[in-house]
Structure formats: structure tokens, C-alpha cells
């Protein structure tokens, strides 16, 4: 049987780790966790990541097939998923990261559309812009929701409501 749920491409830093707010104060419901993903080995101090364990059950209940779409790549399954109570998720493997696109779209955009391969998808990220929306509208034949999250706030109840309604076809 073919998977019928839409994909949810999920970024970590911004939506799940509200790094902008965390530099000032701990957001309500979040825990500060020292992490050592690749690139943050000693003697460098651990990376402080803010996560809300309540987000895991909410994400699982949205009606999507969750997919990591983050620079954390497979390390999101090691460092992020266990804190949120998520199972191991599929991962988008980027051919290149942080490059300049000739059309000005985000460096993730083209690869996410290729990965979706026509399937409906939502993308949650703090770096989505109008150029990405326009490019996807012209190059993706399925439904798509590009949902920008404020990196000072992370995912909020209204964000979950928007995603749930969209996954249900609304």
C-alpha cells in the first residue's frame, strides 16, 4: 500500500529550537539541552538547544509523514527525536548546503520539491520567503504549504492548527 499522508518537511533550528528567543530567555515549556553534534566537539563548548518535549506528540498527531529537512540531517534522529519522543524519521540528504541559488530561492527549495516528487507536502522552516513560494507554485504539481515559523517563538498552537487543517485537506 502506498503512503497517502502528505509529507511534512521539518526544520530544527527556528521551528523546534527557537534559537532567537533562547539567546535572551528560556521560552515557556522548553528545556535547554547541551548537545554535541558533529562540529561541536570538545574543546568547543556544547551547543545549547532549546526543545519543547510536548511538540513530539503534537507533530505525530498532525496527519503527516514527518521528514527531517534540516542541516542536522541524520543527527536529528540522534539528538532531537529522542527529546521530543519521535521515532527515527526519514532524512532529506542535501547535495549541497547554504549555497546561493541562481533564482534567489532558498538553498533547500529545489531539493525539497524533487524529494516530494509530486506528492503533497508542507515545509516548516524559519527561512522561507516569497521567492520560495513563487518557485514552488510554478514547479511542484502537488499541493504545498510553506509555513514560516518565527525563530524567536518556535512552533506555537496556531502553527499546529494550521498544519493539522492543511493535512486534513482544509
Amino acid at each position: 500500500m502506498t503512503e497517502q499522508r502528505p509529507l511534512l518537511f521539518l526544520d530544527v533550528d527556528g521551528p523546534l529550537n527557537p534559537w532567537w528567543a533562547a539567546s535572551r530567555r528560556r521560552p515557556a515549556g522548553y528545556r535547554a539541552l547541551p548537545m554535541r553534534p558533529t562540529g561541536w566537539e570538545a574543546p568547543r563548548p556544547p551547543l545549547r538547544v532549546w526543545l519543547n518535549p510536548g511538540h513530539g506528540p503534537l507533530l505525530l498527531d498532525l496527519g503527516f509523514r514527518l521528514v527531517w529537512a534540516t542541516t542536522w540531517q541524520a543527527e536529528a534522529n540522534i539528538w532531537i527525536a529522542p527529546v521530543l519522543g519521535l521515532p527515527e524519521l526519514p532524512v532529506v540528504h542535501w547535495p549541497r548546503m547554504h549555497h546561493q541559488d541562481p533564482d534567489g530561492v532558498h538553498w533547500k527549495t529545489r531539493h525539497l520539491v524533487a524529494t516530494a516528487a509530486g506528492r503533497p507536502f508542507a515545509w516548516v522552516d524559519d527561512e522561507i520567503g516569497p521567492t520560495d513560494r513563487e518557485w514552488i507554485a510554478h514547479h511542484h504539481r502537488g499541493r504545498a504549504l510553506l509555513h514560516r515559523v518565527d525563530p524567536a517563538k518556535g512552533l506555537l498552537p496556531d502553527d499546529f492548527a494550521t498544519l493539522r487543517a492543511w493535512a486534513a485537506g482544509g
Side-chain angles (χ1 to χ4, degrees):
M1 178 182 232
T2 305
E3 172 73 55
Q4 298 299 313
R5 295 179 296 167
L7 302 169
L8 175 57
F9 292 124
L10 188 59
D11 186 30
V12 170
D13 295 319
L16 296 174
N17 172 27
W19 58 270
W20 186 257
S23 65
R24 293 165 188 73
R25 58 169 172 42
R26 182 174 66 190
Y30 284 79
R31 293 174 34 205
L33 302 152
M35 297 189 178
R36 290 200 175 276
T38 301
W40 291 89
E41 297 88 359
R44 192 175 194 178
L47 176 64
R48 185 174 66 174
V49 177
W50 299 87
L51 296 173
N52 182 335
H55 284 167
L58 293 170
L59 288 166
L60 291 170
D61 191 43
L62 289 175
F64 287 93
R65 177 169 183 192
L66 304 176
V67 179
W68 292 122
T70 173
T71 57
W72 287 74
Q73 297 190 90
E75 288 191 70
N77 281 319
I78 297 166
W79 296 99
I80 308 301
V83 176
L84 301 180
L86 295 174
E88 185 170 322
L89 302 177
V91 176
V92 175
H93 296 282
W94 309 110
R96 289 180 14 192
M97 291 194 286
H98 305 291
H99 62 276
Q100 291 291 330
D101 183 89
D103 295 327
V105 298
H106 191 278
W107 62 267
K108 293 180 181 178
T109 303
R110 292 175 190 268
H111 195 63
L112 291 178
V113 168
T115 300
R119 284 182 62 184
F121 74 87
W123 174 22
V124 174
D125 204 305
D126 62 320
E127 297 180 348
I128 295 169
T131 307
D132 304 301
R133 294 178 199 287
E134 183 178 324
W135 194 92
I136 288 174
H138 287 97
H139 294 89
H140 179 65
R141 64 183 180 270
R143 287 176 57 220
L145 171 68
L146 279 66
H147 190 74
R148 186 185 179 284
V149 174
D150 185 340
K153 297 177 181 175
L155 284 167
L156 298 171
D158 285 349
D159 298 312
F160 287 102
T162 298
L163 292 165
R164 186 175 293 103
W166 189 90

